[in-house]
Amino acid sequence: MIKLKLRLTTPAAIVISRFRDCLQVSIFILLTTATLSCSTISGSKAVRYENNYNINQPKYDEVKNLVTSIHSTFIKPLDIRLLTKAALKGMSDINLPVKVDISNYAGDSLTDLRDAFYYLCDNNPQHIMEIQVGAIQGIVNFFYPQIKLLNTNSNPLITAGIGVVIQMMRDEFIVSSILKDSPAQKYGLLRGDRLLKIDNRDLQGFKLETVVDLLQGVVDSPVNLTIERDGIQKQVLITRVVLNYPAVEASLKPNGNGYVRIAKFDSSTKTLLEQQLSELTHSNNGPLNGLIIDIRDNGGGELRSVINVADQFLDNGLIVEIRGRLSTQTMRFMASINNSDVPANLKLVVLVNGQTGEGAEIFAAALRDQHRATLIGTTTQGLNMISTVLPYIDGVAVNLVTAVAIRSNGNTLSHFGIVPDICINDTKPIMLNTQQYQTPDEIWNACPSETKLFSMTNDVVWQTAIQKLLEK
C-alpha cells in the first residue's frame, strides 16, 4: 500500500499507503548479523535474569505498546490473544545463536508474551532487535496484507528498482508500463512482456506484492529476468538504480487539447500540475479546449495531495469520506468553492486501467461522481482500504488497515474497482451504464480489469479520449 501522511485531530493518523515495503531486505540485514551456534536450551519456562530486567523491559514495552495499538485501531475488533499468539509464533521462528524452546508459553496473554520475550533476550542479549522484529513479523504473517511491516529508513540501498509497472493478468505477470529513461527502457523491456522468472525463481503461484519486492534491491545490484515476447523466451540482466521521476508531465495536443500525466500523488503534485496547466494555456495562446488526465499505472500517493489535486477540478461537493471503526474517526473532505483556476466548462477525460489504485481511484471516483469527467479505459484496481502507519522501532513501522474510503455517491470504493464510462474491451471502446453493475462478476463480464495491452503507437484508450474531447 501507499504511504499517505495526514495530520488529524482524531485518535489515529489516517493514511493511504502506496509504496511497497522492503521487508525482505530489512529482515535479511537483521538476521545476517547473527552468529550461528549449536547451543540449545529447552525445557520448562525459565526465570528471567534480574540483572537484565531493566535492559529488556523497555524493549518489551515497545512490543507491547505496538500490540495494544494494533488491537485498538485495526479496522475490525480483534481478540488480543490472536495478536499475542501470532507474536509468539514470530519469535519462535527466529534463527538465534542460542536456541531456546518457548513452546511452553501458550501466548494467551500479554504476560505470556512478556515472559517469552525476556527468556529469549536473556539467552540472546546481543539480538534483542531481531527478537522485537520477529514478534511483529509473526503478526504481519498472520494478518497480511491487512497489516504490513515497513522499512522507514531513507536508505537508497533498499529503494532501488528497474522502472517497470507489473500487473497480474490471468495469473501471469505482465509489464504494463515502463518509466522513461529507466533501466528497463535502456535494456529493452517492452509493454506486454510476460515476466516468467526473477533470478531463476519461477514466479508461478507468487503474489503480485512478492514479485514487486523481488524486483527491488540494493543500488547497482543486478537482477536477472526471464521474459517471454511473441512466444520467445529470453533472459535480460538489468542493473537496479534509484528511480527519480516527476509526478506530473504535460504536453499540448492538436486542436487545443492538453495532456497531463499524473504518475503519483506527493507533496509536489499540486504545484507541478498548476505550473504545467499554466504552460499549456500559454502554449495554446488561450484556454484549452479539453484536457486528458492520465492516471493509468498510478498506485496512489499522499491523501492530502489527492484531495488538493481533485480540488483543482471541483468547485463543490464531497471528494471522499474516510470511515473508521469508530464514529469519531469519520472524516469528510469537501471541495473548496471557487478555489480552482481550471475553467468549470473545460471538458475532462480521465484515463484509468487495472493498475490505477488507492489514491488515484479516489481522484477518479470524485471527478466521475461529480459529473466532472468521463473515465475511459479498464476497471481499476479496487483498493479501498485506508491505512495507519504506526512507528515501531528505529527504521521499522507497521502499516495496518484502519478505515475505508466512501465515494461522494455514497458507495464504498469497493474491492472490485471503478468501472469506466467507456471500457476498452478487446481493443474496442464500449459505452457502459456503470450504475447497473453491482457485483464483481457483472463488472468482470462487462469490463475486465485488463483485456489486451496496447502498444504505445496504437493506444486505443488514447484515441477514444481524443474522440471524446472532439465531441460537441
Side-chain angles (χ1 to χ4, degrees):
M1 290 186 180
I2 47 186
K3 181 182 178 183
L4 304 184
K5 298 180 180 178
L6 179 61
R7 294 183 180 179
L8 307 172
T9 57
T10 55
I14 303 297
V15 298
I16 299 178
S17 173
R18 179 181 80 119
F19 62 83
R20 303 280 181 187
D21 65 70
C22 296
L23 173 61
Q24 292 176 323
V25 175
S26 61
I27 298 300
F28 174 79
I29 292 172
L30 291 174
L31 295 183
T32 50
T33 60
T35 302
L36 297 179
S37 171
C38 295
S39 301
T40 302
I41 298 176
S42 61
S44 59
K45 294 183 181 181
V47 178
R48 65 178 181 269
Y49 302 131
E50 292 301 325
N51 61 338
N52 285 340
Y53 179 79
N54 291 332
I55 298 175
N56 295 339
Q57 182 184 16
K59 302 299 183 182
Y60 167 72
D61 285 345
E62 292 175 338
V63 176
K64 180 189 71 175
N65 292 339
L66 186 59
V67 168
T68 55
S69 294
I70 293 173
H71 178 255
S72 62
T73 60
F74 194 58
I75 184 62
K76 58 185 179 182
L78 288 177
D79 186 334
I80 199 165
R81 289 177 296 181
L82 290 176
L83 294 167
T84 54
K85 285 179 179 292
L88 200 67
K89 175 65 166 58
M91 293 192 302
S92 66
D93 289 340
I94 304 171
N95 184 20
L96 293 170
V98 179
K99 303 181 188 307
V100 295
D101 182 7
I102 58 173
S103 60
N104 290 320
Y105 297 95
D108 288 327
S109 66
L110 285 170
T111 300
D112 250 8
L113 179 62
R114 178 200 64 194
D115 290 346
F117 183 88
Y118 284 143
Y119 185 26
L120 285 175
C121 291
D122 285 345
N123 289 284
N124 294 274
Q126 303 302 315
H127 302 279
I128 296 178
M129 185 175 182
E130 290 97 311
I131 298 170
Q132 283 184 302
V133 175
I136 301 306
Q137 182 63 58
I139 294 174
V140 170
N141 290 342
F142 188 83
F143 289 100
Y144 187 87
Q146 291 182 303
I147 298 179
K148 296 181 180 180
L149 198 62
L150 306 178
N151 189 303
T152 59
N153 284 327
S154 56
N155 188 339
L157 293 179
I158 58 172
T159 58
I162 63 172
V164 295
V165 175
I166 301 295
Q167 68 179 38
M168 194 170 185
M169 186 174 168
R170 298 182 181 90
D171 297 324
E172 296 181 345
F173 299 101
I174 308 295
V175 176
S176 67
S177 181
I178 298 175
L179 294 182
K180 183 179 179 181
D181 299 325
S182 67
Q185 185 182 67
K186 175 183 176 182
Y187 287 91
L189 290 190
L190 298 176
R191 293 182 67 197
D193 284 345
R194 180 182 170 216
L195 185 58
L196 303 178
K197 297 180 181 179
I198 299 177
D199 290 331
N200 296 318
R201 298 178 65 178
D202 193 324
L203 302 182
Q204 187 174 5
F206 279 31
K207 295 181 179 179
L208 179 61
E209 293 87 350
T210 304
V211 172
V212 172
D213 287 341
L214 290 175
L215 289 172
Q216 297 174 338
V218 177
V219 174
D220 294 330
S221 66
V223 57
N224 186 16
L225 307 182
T226 302
I227 65 169
E228 180 181 279
R229 182 186 304 161
D230 299 327
I232 301 174
Q233 293 187 16
K234 70 173 185 177
Q235 290 191 342
V236 183
L237 189 64
I238 301 180
T239 302
R240 299 180 178 99
V241 300
V242 177
L243 299 168
N244 295 308
Y245 57 95
V248 181
E249 295 180 293
S251 59
L252 185 65
K253 300 300 180 181
N255 302 310
N257 293 311
Y259 169 80
V260 172
R261 161 75 176 149
I262 302 179
K264 57 186 175 181
F265 291 94
D266 63 17
S267 58
S268 69
T269 305
K270 179 177 180 291
T271 299
L272 289 175
L273 178 64
E274 291 173 338
Q275 293 173 353
Q276 296 284 9
L277 290 177
S278 177
E279 292 177 10
L280 287 177
T281 301
H282 182 267
S283 299
N284 194 49
N285 296 317
L288 298 171
N289 295 326
L291 180 66
I292 297 173
I293 306 172
D294 191 348
I295 54 172
R296 291 176 293 180
D297 301 325
N298 182 328
E302 298 177 7
L303 179 58
R304 175 55 63 187
S305 175
V306 172
I307 293 169
N308 288 340
V309 173
D311 200 17
Q312 292 297 297
F313 300 100
L314 298 171
D315 287 330
N316 54 66
L318 178 69
I319 296 175
V320 68
E321 178 179 305
I322 305 301
R323 190 174 296 174
R325 190 171 92 187
L326 304 175
S327 59
T328 55
Q329 295 174 322
T330 298
M331 298 170 293
R332 292 169 59 85
F333 298 95
M334 309 296 295
S336 305
I337 299 176
N338 300 323
N339 184 52
S340 175
D341 293 329
V342 178
N345 62 348
L346 178 64
K347 183 176 282 190
L348 302 177
V349 168
V350 177
L351 307 184
V352 296
N353 69 355
Q355 294 301 302
T356 301
E358 298 184 344
E361 289 180 284
I362 291 177
F363 173 82
L367 268 61
R368 210 269 292 283
D369 293 345
Q370 300 289 358
H371 307 289
R372 186 65 185 90
T374 299
L375 269 57
I376 298 177
T378 57
T379 303
T380 63
Q381 209 165 8
L383 299 176
N384 70 317
M385 296 299 183
I386 313 302
S387 299
T388 293
V389 174
L390 301 177
Y392 177 31
I393 55 179
D394 185 34
V396 180
V398 172
N399 179 51
L400 66 152
V401 173
T402 56
V404 295
I406 307 298
R407 296 167 59 171
S408 60
N409 64 4
N411 296 329
T412 302
L413 271 169
S414 65
H415 65 278
F416 46 83
I418 302 170
V419 184
D421 300 291
I422 303 176
C423 176
I424 307 302
N425 195 339
D426 295 328
T427 73
K428 296 181 296 185
I430 300 174
M431 295 291 297
L432 298 175
N433 177 4
T434 58
Q435 300 301 316
Q436 73 186 65
Y437 306 113
Q438 304 298 323
T439 68
D441 286 342
E442 290 176 351
I443 287 176
W444 177 255
N445 291 331
C447 187
S449 180
E450 291 293 345
T451 54
K452 185 175 181 180
L453 293 168
F454 316 109
S455 69
M456 297 300 289
T457 58
N458 185 28
D459 192 333
V460 181
V461 178
W462 170 259
Q463 295 171 358
T464 306
I466 292 295
Q467 292 174 4
K468 186 66 180 177
L469 292 180
L470 292 176
E471 292 178 0
K472 293 185 179 180

